Amino acid sequence: DQWYLSDPLDGNGNDIYEVLVPGVGLSRITLELIQRGFKCQGNEFSYFMLILSNFLLNYCDKPNEIEIFPFIHQFSNQISRQNQLRRVLIPDISALDVLKSIKKKSLNDNDNNDNQSNNDLMSIFSGSFVDLYGPNNGIKDSSLYDKFKKDSIEFRELNENKFDAIVTMFFFFFSTNVIEYLKAIEHSL
């Protein structure tokens, strides 16, 4: 477990690093980051992922409470029938327990984090990464932007140079235009 962002405070020890997680999926990365003390904003385009993420984050009270059989319909590449029928318990940690422990720790620290709620530490926005986090200039010819929606333009302005880091997994595999994604990353950092 080596983290390159090992200290959540900036160089002066003042502000908590803000991290953007595009393609957040089931929000496990955001949960790991806030456990380590970072402020995290996720972004997801898929409503299926958002629905399941909401369920895992807000309604699963304890670890390993849901039993699934993810390989039951997969007949190829199985060593044995038992392997195909094996169960997997999810989630491996409770998001509610993580958030409670963070809240308890911040109350015990009695410093600048007194008034910080869990909502300040973690948020998720739905929509296209490029549309929400890309620059407002030069979008005339791009099909990836909602050019005329005032809320989108304001949100892009708010996110300009807002984040200290961007953390993602497998996100670029699904990009429709890598150059537009890189412009959005540059705009956000």
Side-chain angles (χ1 to χ4, degrees):
D1 245 22
Q2 182 174 354
W3 284 77
Y4 292 100
L5 293 173
S6 60
D7 186 4
L9 301 177
D10 70 0
N12 300 324
N14 295 327
D15 299 324
I16 295 176
Y17 278 130
E18 289 195 46
V19 179
L20 174 62
V21 183
V24 74
L26 300 179
S27 302
R28 181 56 190 257
I29 297 174
T30 55
L31 201 58
E32 291 289 333
L33 288 167
I34 67 166
Q35 269 185 300
R36 287 166 170 75
F38 298 97
K39 192 174 180 180
C40 204
Q41 185 175 109
N43 167 246
E44 181 58 54
F45 184 74
S46 167
Y47 285 115
F48 299 113
M49 289 290 190
L50 288 167
I51 290 169
L52 189 52
S53 173
N54 178 49
F55 177 73
L56 291 172
L57 290 174
N58 297 310
Y59 298 101
C60 290
D61 294 342
K62 52 187 179 264
N64 302 322
E65 73 176 303
I66 298 172
E67 184 177 280
I68 62 171
F69 295 85
F71 310 105
I72 199 158
H73 294 293
Q74 186 177 359
F75 299 102
S76 59
N77 300 318
Q78 298 291 336
I79 294 173
S80 67
R81 191 67 61 210
Q82 288 77 24
N83 189 43
Q84 183 181 4
L85 299 175
R86 78 176 184 261
R87 71 184 180 142
V88 175
L89 299 173
I90 61 167
D92 62 334
I93 60 172
S94 167
L96 295 173
D97 290 344
V98 168
L99 294 173
K100 284 178 192 174
S101 69
I102 290 170
K103 186 71 168 177
K104 185 178 177 182
K105 182 181 181 295
S106 71
L107 290 174
N108 289 341
D109 286 347
N110 268 344
D111 56 12
N112 295 336
N113 293 331
D114 283 351
N115 298 322
Q116 189 172 38
S117 71
N118 289 334
N119 295 337
D120 294 336
L121 291 176
M122 180 174 149
S123 60
I124 298 175
F125 287 87
S126 64
S128 162
F129 172 68
V130 171
D131 187 30
L132 293 176
Y133 299 95
N136 278 323
N137 58 342
I139 63 173
K140 186 172 97 173
D141 300 324
S142 176
S143 63
L144 300 174
Y145 286 87
D146 188 349
K147 301 174 222 10
F148 307 109
K149 199 170 181 185
K150 185 179 178 186
D151 293 344
S152 295
I153 292 169
E154 289 173 2
F155 193 78
R156 285 192 291 269
E157 286 173 0
L158 287 172
N159 288 312
E160 185 174 5
N161 301 320
K162 178 180 178 183
F163 299 98
D164 300 304
I166 294 181
V167 176
T168 188
M169 268 177 94
F170 306 114
F171 177 67
F172 280 101
F173 291 142
F174 303 105
S175 69
T176 52
N177 184 336
V178 175
I179 301 301
E180 293 288 339
Y181 278 51
L182 292 173
K183 286 179 186 177
I185 288 172
E186 180 185 27
H187 180 259
S188 300
L189 291 175

